[in-house]
């Protein structure tokens, strides 16, 4: 088996030694002459088929091959392949495109819009305005998720995600009211919901950063295992970064309020979105469905008066679902595919 | 008979490759029903719209080999839970593994098992698509990339492929997904391909995929027709696209193995020229299934030009009516010229036309020559496939013409007046699409040598209209070269560039009519259409020995080595110096073209092939058109071997070499 010099177009022959020797011999040897005439073709060729096609495209005929004592162009191509110094050069993939890891400003604004609207929600006193704003938040959130780094090719379990968000908004209050430990206050969870909605911005930022960093790892990776090794820590950074951002937003907008429940929900939605975006919607769907069903169960058992604080079920359900999603997420995102590397 | 036509990047799209000849073929075979299954290679093909389809085309179904896969192919067929999904994925991984191993090849995989594994993988993937659906999603998923990698890293695979990196794996996996889309096409139902009596792939490669599956799943016989070697084109395209070596090795292997599999399964392989045949044999086609069927052209628009040359004509008027009519070249020789003979040759395609009416039609063309007598002579009947192609020549010798009643004397008399254009100078013509492969530079350099020895000769470069920026740039380059080589020319110049069909420019027939010798200087060529057209026009030709040139011109034109301006110049000078020989060659060329390259004989050959394949009978030993029944005058009646020798002799020392002023040693 012939070994092939692949690095940076280096010739097998040492520079300055091989070339003049080749030139001296070429004067007498017609095959050498032909090798020189088609040096560029031979240097990059991968097999005799490619050389034969290339020679014919340059007008070399069977007649020319017979003059060189070969039966035809195919024979000549095989002979040239055997005799040519192999300099198969790896192309560097053209100019190295560097992508900005920062989210484009316009995309960032699109993702900030629903969160900003939700943040002014508590200031509104009129129910009509409140309803309008709710619709506005829903529409802008849908628009933000349709395109951009958090987009998914096909339905990513939207109904279950809506159920989880509805529980984040009213669930804890409903549990409190159903278990008879207090009145139902529909506005109580709005600040934490606003923080969650604002969390779209860090989610988009981290998803974009992860996609750009992962793509940048494609070229330097030799094998798929190399690529996976390079992507896994970056995914961990993205998840941890999003968790920190969510915690900061919650601490800012709901000082002293519950942290674990909304943060776990935000992380679960983030991971599910990443996974669906990488063509694995089924585990994401299963996790979202499981969390939503678990939360519904807490509503069902609330009248029994179990000693649970309002946000604990959410933290438990979403946290467990997130943990369930972690292995498939790491597996899926560390394997490149042609249409979503 | 219900025929499924399988195309890729061509028919029925107006902008496709080879649409014109596919259209001629379909129109010619009007007693069959056709379903067209088209694969679209790029968005541009679709944007150009479809050609008008004749009524025998019952329906057209198209599938894209670019962009996103169709949504219907992406969604898996329902009716299976997790276990079914897993089973489908495992099946896919197994078959794709076979397929990828065949592509990677290697020392441990000799050619026969390699082809077997390729076929097993291919049909296995087709079964996955048919039974479970969602094949495109699997083909472009991470699993496919992982399988591809492990196939490339298998022991025994050559280092070039084994060193593949992640970006290259993704390129290959993505390309294979697009290439294998025909497997997911909804074409294999009982109302579709399974209902066809035979599948006819109008090119090799991807177009044969539906045919292979139809053969596999419903036993429909397959015919593969190639006028260009698809696998060879694919290799060149991969190189042009500057793909990395490992990707080129894998995708090149795919195209070769696919070609081999299609040749193995085809009941009949038709090839347009020996060049194509050579590649087919090399790719593993069995010679007993290959038949050469030269493409057929409509000589209608060149009819009447065969002998339309007149001695010392002051003005040449060539009237060309719409294709399909009987046309006649009108010739107006000067009254003072003694011995001038005007001839009009009409190709009469109506089977029932009588000899006298033929003569009458031709006589219209020669009316100005005071035709006292019109004599119709059947100069050659080539009975091919049951449709006689009749070339009738009516000659109307003027008073004073002596002995101009044999074909040879006709030709000689025409030849005596050959060297004429509007200014009385001989004209060389080049016709074609501007392309670097045409090597116009060699033509211009050769013309420089011709001018050095024979001043006064003109060169007309008649190019077809093009929108391709590369072609436009090449044309500009050639114009600049012409300006440099022939700087101090009088107005009009000795080299003229004209665009065919432009306002003020010639039409195609006019371009040939305006030249005494047609020159083809290509450095590389497939099937030289220019030569066939020149032959229909009865022009003597000088061409380079590339592609199918030799088998097209046969012994009726001069063939010189490519990229050798001196040889080209010598051959042109030889023809210019021996006008009667040039005229003889022109007449012989026209007869040859009418015998070999007409639509009638071409369509008849396919009709016969269809019948044999559909009836599953052994192929007739020869379905290609017969050679001309009568040898052209003054050419030795020999076999193929003898003809080759004749041409070689002509090339080595042109008979008219003695007339040349300076020999000059050839490089």
């Amino acid at each position: 088996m012939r070994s092939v010099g692949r690095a940076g177009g280096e010739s097998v022959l040492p520079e300055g030694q091989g070339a003049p020797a080749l030139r001296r011999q070429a004067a007498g040897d017609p095959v050498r002459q032909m090798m020189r005439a088609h040096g560029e073709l031979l240097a990059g060729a991968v097999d005799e088929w490619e050389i034969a096609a290339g020679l014919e495209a340059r007008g070399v005929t069977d007649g020319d091959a017979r003059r060189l004592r070969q039966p035809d162009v195919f024979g000549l191509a095989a002979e040239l392949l055997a005799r040519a110094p192999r300099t198969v050069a790896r192309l560097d993939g053209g100019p190295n495109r560097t992508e900005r890891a920062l989210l484009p400003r316009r995309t960032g604004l699109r993702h900030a819009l629903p969160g900003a609207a939700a943040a002014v929600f508590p200031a509104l006193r009129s129910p009509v305005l409140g309803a309008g704003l709710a619709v506005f938040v829903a529409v802008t959130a849908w628009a933000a998720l349709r395109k951009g780094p958090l987009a998914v090719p096909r339905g990513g379990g939207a109904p279950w995600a809506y159920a989880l968000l509805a529980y984040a908004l009213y669930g804890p209050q409903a549990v409190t009211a159903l278990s008879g430990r207090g009145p139902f206050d529909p506005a109580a969870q709005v600040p934490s919901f606003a923080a969650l909605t604002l969390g779209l911005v860090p989610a988009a930022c981290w998803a974009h950063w992860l996609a750009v960093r992962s793509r940048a790892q494609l070229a330097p990776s030799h094998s798929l295992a190399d690529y996976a090794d390079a992507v896994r820590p970056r995914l961990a950074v993205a998840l941890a970064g999003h968790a920190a951002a969510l915690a900061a937003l919650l601490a800012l907008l709901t000082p002293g309020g519950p942290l674990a429940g909304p943060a776990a929900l935000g992380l679960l939605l983030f991971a599910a979105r990443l996974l669906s975006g990488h063509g694995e919607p089924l585990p994401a769907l299963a996790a979202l469905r499981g969390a939503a069903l678990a939360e519904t169960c807490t509503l069902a058992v609330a009248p029994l008066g179990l000693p649970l604080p309002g946000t604990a079920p959410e933290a438990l359900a979403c946290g467990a679902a997130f943990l369930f999603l972690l292995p498939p997420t790491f597996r899926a995102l560390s394997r490149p595919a042609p249409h979503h590397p | 008979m219900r025929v499924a036509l399988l195309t890729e990047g061509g028919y029925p799209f107006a902008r496709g490759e080879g649409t014109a000849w596919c259209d001629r073929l379909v129109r010619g075979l009007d007693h069959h029903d056709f379903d067209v299954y088209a694969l679209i290679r790029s968005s541009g093909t679709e944007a150009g719209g479809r050609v008008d389809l004749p009524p025998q085309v019952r329906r057209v179904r198209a599938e894209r080999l670019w962009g996103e896969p169709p949504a219907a192919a992406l969604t898996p067929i329902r009716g299976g839970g997790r276990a079914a999904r897993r089973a489908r994925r495992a099946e896919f991984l197994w078959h794709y593994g076979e397929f990828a191993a065949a592509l990677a090849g290697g020392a441990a995989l000799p050619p026969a098992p390699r082809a077997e594994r390729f076929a097993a993988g291919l049909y296995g993937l087709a079964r996955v698509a048919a039974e479970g659906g969602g094949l495109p999603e699997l083909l472009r998923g991470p699993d496919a990339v992982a399988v591809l990698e492990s196939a490339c890293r298998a022991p025994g695979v050559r280092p070039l492929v084994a060193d593949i990196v992640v970006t290259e794996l993704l390129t290959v996996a993505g390309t294979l997904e697009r290439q294998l889309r025909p497997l997911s096409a909804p074409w294999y139902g009982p109302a579709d391909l399974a209902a066809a009596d035979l599948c006819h792939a109008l090119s090799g490669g991807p177009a044969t995929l539906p045919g292979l599956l139809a053969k596999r799943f419903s036993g429909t016989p397959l015919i593969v027709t190639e006028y260009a070697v698809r696998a060879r084109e694919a290799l060149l395209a991969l190189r042009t696209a500057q793909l990395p070596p490992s990707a080129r090795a894998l995708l090149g292997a795919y195209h070769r193995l696919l070609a081999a599999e299609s040749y193995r399964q085809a009941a009949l392989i038709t090839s347009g020229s020996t060049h194509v045949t050579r590649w087919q044999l090399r790719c593993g086609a069995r010679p007993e299934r290959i038949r050469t069927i030269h493409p057929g052209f409509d000589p209608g628009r060149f009819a009447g030009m065969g002998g339309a040359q007149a001695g010392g004509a002051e003005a040449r008027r060539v009237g060309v009516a719409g294709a399909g009519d009987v046309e006649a070249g009108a010739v107006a020789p000067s009254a003072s010229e003694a011995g001038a003979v005007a001839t009009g040759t009409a190709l009469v395609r109506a089977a029932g036309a009588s000899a006298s009416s033929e003569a009458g039609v031709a006589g219209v063309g020669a009316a100005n020559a005071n035709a006292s007598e019109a004599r119709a002579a059947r100069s050659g009947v080539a009975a091919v496939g049951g449709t006689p192609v009749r070339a009738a020549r009516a000659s109307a010798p003027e008073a004073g013409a002596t002995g101009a009643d044999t074909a040879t004397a006709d030709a000689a008399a025409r030849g005596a007046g050959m060297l004429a254009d509007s200014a009385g100078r001989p004209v060389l013509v080049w016709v074609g699409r501007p392309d670097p492969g045409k090597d116009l530079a060699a033509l211009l350099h050769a013309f420089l040598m011709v001018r050095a020895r024979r001043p006064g000769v003109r060169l007309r470069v008649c190019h077809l209209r093009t929108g391709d920026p590369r072609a436009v740039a090449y044309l500009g380059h050639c114009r600049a070269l012409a300006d440099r080589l022939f700087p101090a020319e009088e107005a009009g110049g000795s080299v003229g560039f004209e665009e065919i069909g432009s306002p003020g420019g010639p039409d195609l027939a006019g371009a040939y009519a305006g030249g005494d010798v047609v020159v083809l200087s290509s450095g590389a060529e497939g099937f030289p259409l220019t030569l066939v057209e020149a032959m229909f026009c009865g022009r003597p030709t000088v061409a380079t020995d590339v592609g199918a040139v030799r088998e097209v011109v046969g012994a009726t034109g001069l063939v010189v080595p490519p990229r050798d301006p001196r040889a080209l110049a010598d051959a042109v000078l030889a023809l210019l110096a021996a006008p009667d020989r040039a005229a003889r060659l022109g007449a012989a060329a026209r007869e040859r073209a009418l015998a070999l390259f007409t639509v009638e004989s071409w369509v008849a050959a396919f009709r016969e092939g269809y019948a044999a394949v559909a009836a599953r009978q052994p192929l007739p030993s020869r379905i290609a058109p017969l050679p001309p029944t009568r040898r052209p005058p003054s050419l030795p009646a020999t076999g193929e071997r003898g003809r080759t020798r004749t041409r070689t002799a002509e090339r080595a020392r042109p008979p008219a070499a003695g007339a040349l002023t300076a020999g000059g040693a050839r490089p």
Side-chain angles (χ1 to χ4, degrees):
Chain A
M1 184 61 58
R2 185 180 303 110
S3 75
V4 180
R6 298 205 52 151
E10 284 174 7
S11 170
V12 172
L13 290 173
E15 199 65 38
Q17 282 179 32
L22 200 73
R23 236 172 272 133
R24 267 198 308 280
Q25 287 175 19
D29 184 351
V31 178
R32 289 255 174 211
Q33 278 176 6
M34 181 148 282
M35 280 166 58
R36 267 182 46 200
H38 304 288
E40 173 219 355
L41 170 72
L42 296 177
V46 295
D47 52 22
E48 69 269 26
W49 296 89
E50 205 181 79
I51 296 179
L55 286 177
E56 282 187 352
R58 290 159 175 238
V60 176
T61 59
D62 279 354
D64 296 328
R66 277 193 288 274
R67 273 191 283 285
L68 301 179
R69 300 182 183 186
Q70 294 295 333
D72 52 17
V73 171
F74 297 107
L76 178 62
E79 172 75 13
L80 291 179
L81 183 77
R83 286 175 63 167
R86 303 306 309 285
T87 55
V88 171
R90 159 155 303 137
L91 301 170
D92 294 331
N96 210 352
R97 230 160 19 98
T98 47
E99 287 179 281
R100 274 170 58 84
L102 273 180
L103 195 65
R105 195 175 303 143
R106 187 182 282 259
T107 318
L109 281 176
R110 234 160 18 91
H111 284 82
L113 211 52
V120 301
F121 203 83
L124 294 176
R125 292 284 169 253
S126 150
V128 175
L129 276 180
L133 196 65
V135 170
F136 180 76
V137 169
V139 169
T140 48
W142 170 80
L145 290 176
R146 210 165 53 88
K147 281 199 300 184
L150 290 173
V152 298
R154 276 172 291 141
W160 301 110
Y162 290 143
L164 288 170
L165 286 171
Y167 187 90
L169 199 49
Y170 301 118
Q173 287 303 309
V175 169
T176 311
L178 284 172
S179 58
R181 275 181 283 156
F184 181 77
D185 178 9
Q189 301 296 327
V190 167
S192 81
F193 182 79
L196 211 53
T197 322
L198 271 177
L200 267 181
V201 180
C205 285
W206 285 115
H208 180 73
W209 177 85
L210 183 64
V212 169
R213 287 279 176 257
S214 302
R215 270 199 290 275
Q217 291 309 310
L218 284 174
S221 304
H222 183 247
S223 67
L224 293 176
D226 293 347
Y227 176 78
D229 289 344
V231 166
R232 269 188 223 111
R234 288 169 173 79
L235 175 59
V237 167
L239 289 173
H242 186 53
L246 278 175
L249 279 172
L250 285 165
L252 203 69
L253 290 178
T254 60
L259 198 72
L265 174 58
L267 273 178
L268 170 65
L269 291 175
F270 181 54
R273 209 71 195 170
L274 285 181
L275 199 53
S276 302
H278 272 74
E280 295 275 351
L282 292 181
L285 196 66
L288 293 178
R289 190 170 47 201
L293 289 178
E295 289 181 354
T296 318
C297 287
T298 63
L299 281 181
V301 301
L304 301 179
L306 296 175
L308 273 174
T311 57
E314 187 182 21
L316 280 176
C318 294
F322 173 66
L323 289 178
F324 166 79
L325 265 193
L326 270 184
T329 306
F330 270 89
R331 198 166 51 235
L333 269 72
S334 58
R335 301 173 77 202
H339 67 312
H340 44 70
Chain B
M1 198 189 297
R2 192 164 167 190
V3 179
L5 281 186
L6 316 174
T7 70
E8 183 220 355
Y11 194 75
F13 295 99
R15 227 181 257 171
E17 282 169 23
T19 297
W21 71 257
C22 295
D23 192 48
R24 283 199 300 275
L25 183 67
V26 172
R27 284 176 193 279
L29 294 163
D30 52 0
H31 56 290
H32 294 308
D33 285 346
F34 290 98
D35 296 333
V36 179
Y37 296 85
L39 301 174
I40 304 164
R41 230 185 281 165
S42 68
S43 56
T45 314
E46 256 177 311
R50 295 179 181 180
V51 293
D52 286 338
L53 297 170
Q56 58 265 36
V57 175
R58 301 293 175 200
R59 60 179 169 176
V60 176
R61 312 196 53 179
E63 200 74 24
R64 289 176 181 166
L65 297 184
W66 59 277
E68 281 285 298
L74 277 178
T75 46
I77 296 167
R78 294 282 169 204
R82 175 180 298 211
R85 226 171 26 238
R86 283 209 177 142
R88 196 169 65 91
R89 181 167 165 268
E91 200 187 346
F92 165 76
L93 290 181
W94 168 258
H95 294 306
Y96 196 66
E98 290 288 290
F99 184 76
L103 297 193
L109 204 57
R114 191 179 184 188
E116 247 166 57
R117 289 184 83 169
F118 176 82
L122 188 70
Y123 297 126
L125 290 174
R127 195 162 294 116
V128 169
E131 287 169 6
L135 183 66
E137 194 67 81
L138 289 167
L139 282 172
R140 62 181 195 171
D143 284 336
V145 182
V147 169
L148 205 55
E149 189 195 31
S150 54
C152 292
R153 308 253 195 262
V157 174
R158 60 194 187 126
L160 182 85
V161 174
D163 277 352
I164 194 164
V165 298
V166 173
T167 44
E168 297 164 356
L169 282 170
L170 293 180
T171 306
V172 174
T175 310
L176 286 177
E177 184 271 312
R178 287 188 291 278
Q179 286 289 319
L180 293 177
R181 275 188 203 169
L183 304 190
S184 305
W187 292 348
Y188 307 103
D192 301 305
L193 275 173
D197 293 308
L198 67 88
C199 289
H200 185 183
L202 295 182
S203 66
T208 61
L209 266 177
L212 289 177
L213 301 197
K215 168 113 199 288
R216 182 79 169 193
F217 296 141
S218 12
T220 317
L222 173 66
I223 297 179
V224 177
T225 288
E226 280 191 301
Y227 285 108
V229 190
R230 186 68 184 81
R232 174 176 171 270
E233 282 179 357
L235 290 176
L236 290 173
L238 292 174
R239 189 75 198 253
T240 311
Q242 296 199 322
L243 287 181
S246 52
R248 268 185 288 139
L250 288 171
L251 294 174
Y254 164 74
H255 282 286
R256 260 189 358 261
L257 290 167
L258 177 61
E261 176 62 17
S262 65
Y263 296 150
R264 194 173 311 115
Q265 299 300 334
L268 167 64
I269 305 162
T270 81
S271 130
S273 63
T274 41
H275 173 248
V276 174
T277 309
R278 230 158 34 79
W279 273 84
Q280 289 173 337
L281 290 171
R282 188 82 189 178
C283 285
R286 276 154 57 184
E288 67 270 18
R289 297 211 187 140
I290 303 181
R291 297 291 182 275
T292 302
I293 301 182
H294 294 299
F297 302 95
D298 180 13
R301 53 183 176 163
F302 306 113
M305 288 187 39
Q309 306 197 16
E314 292 295 320
R316 174 174 298 179
R317 293 185 290 114
V318 179
V320 179
D325 295 342
V326 175
E327 298 151 14
V331 181
S334 74
S336 62
E337 190 77 19
V341 177
T343 61
T345 304
L347 174 78
V348 180
R349 291 188 297 150
S354 70
S356 62
S357 77
E358 289 161 23
V361 172
V364 174
N368 289 347
N370 292 332
S372 57
E373 173 200 347
R375 185 176 52 80
R378 281 176 58 177
S379 61
V381 176
V384 186
T387 312
V389 180
R390 173 174 298 178
R393 173 176 297 139
S395 64
E398 212 178 352
T402 52
D405 53 356
T406 66
T408 315
D410 267 5
R414 275 204 312 279
M418 182 189 83
L419 308 177
D421 72 337
S422 55
R425 302 179 300 179
V427 179
L428 310 181
V429 170
W430 178 94
V431 180
R433 205 169 288 283
D435 178 272
K438 300 288 183 186
D439 203 1
L440 276 172
L443 175 62
L444 290 170
H445 282 111
F447 183 59
L448 192 64
M449 295 177 201
V450 170
R451 291 270 298 178
R453 285 192 249 165
R454 189 157 173 159
V457 183
R458 282 184 60 222
L459 170 66
R460 292 175 68 187
V461 176
C462 302
H463 59 87
L464 299 170
R465 182 173 302 178
T466 177
D468 180 9
R470 208 171 67 111
V472 172
Y474 180 69
L475 200 60
H477 166 76
C478 292
R479 280 176 192 270
L481 179 65
D483 289 344
R484 203 153 49 77
L485 289 178
F486 309 97
E489 294 291 332
E490 70 279 13
S494 59
V495 179
F497 284 80
E498 296 161 69
E499 184 176 298
I500 290 174
S502 68
D507 61 359
L508 194 59
Y512 290 110
D516 296 298
V517 176
V518 175
V519 189
L520 186 76
S521 56
S522 299
E525 187 73 65
F527 193 88
L529 185 58
T530 300
L531 279 187
V532 177
E533 288 170 346
M535 289 165 74
F536 275 129
C537 295
R539 302 289 131 170
T541 57
V542 176
T544 45
D545 183 11
V546 288
V549 163
R550 264 178 189 279
E551 59 185 302
V552 167
V553 296
T556 67
L558 302 191
V559 180
V560 300
R563 300 177 305 283
D564 186 352
R566 181 165 297 278
L568 198 61
D570 286 348
V572 167
L573 284 166
L575 278 188
L576 292 181
D580 50 346
R581 175 169 175 246
R584 265 200 320 274
L585 285 176
R590 181 168 164 78
E591 275 192 42
R592 180 180 171 84
L594 288 176
L596 290 180
F597 304 120
T598 55
V599 177
E600 286 84 356
S601 56
W602 181 54
V603 165
F606 273 109
R607 193 176 297 141
E608 216 171 309
Y610 278 12
V613 168
R616 288 166 171 80
Q617 285 167 349
L619 292 174
S621 63
R622 185 179 184 91
I623 59 175
L626 297 165
T629 47
R630 205 179 60 117
R631 301 294 319 163
S634 85
L635 288 171
T638 51
E640 195 59 43
R641 180 178 288 274
R643 240 189 284 167
T644 311
R645 224 179 359 242
T646 311
R647 283 198 300 268
T648 316
E650 272 194 337
R651 197 178 64 202
R653 42 180 176 73
L660 304 182
T661 48
R666 297 239 188 101

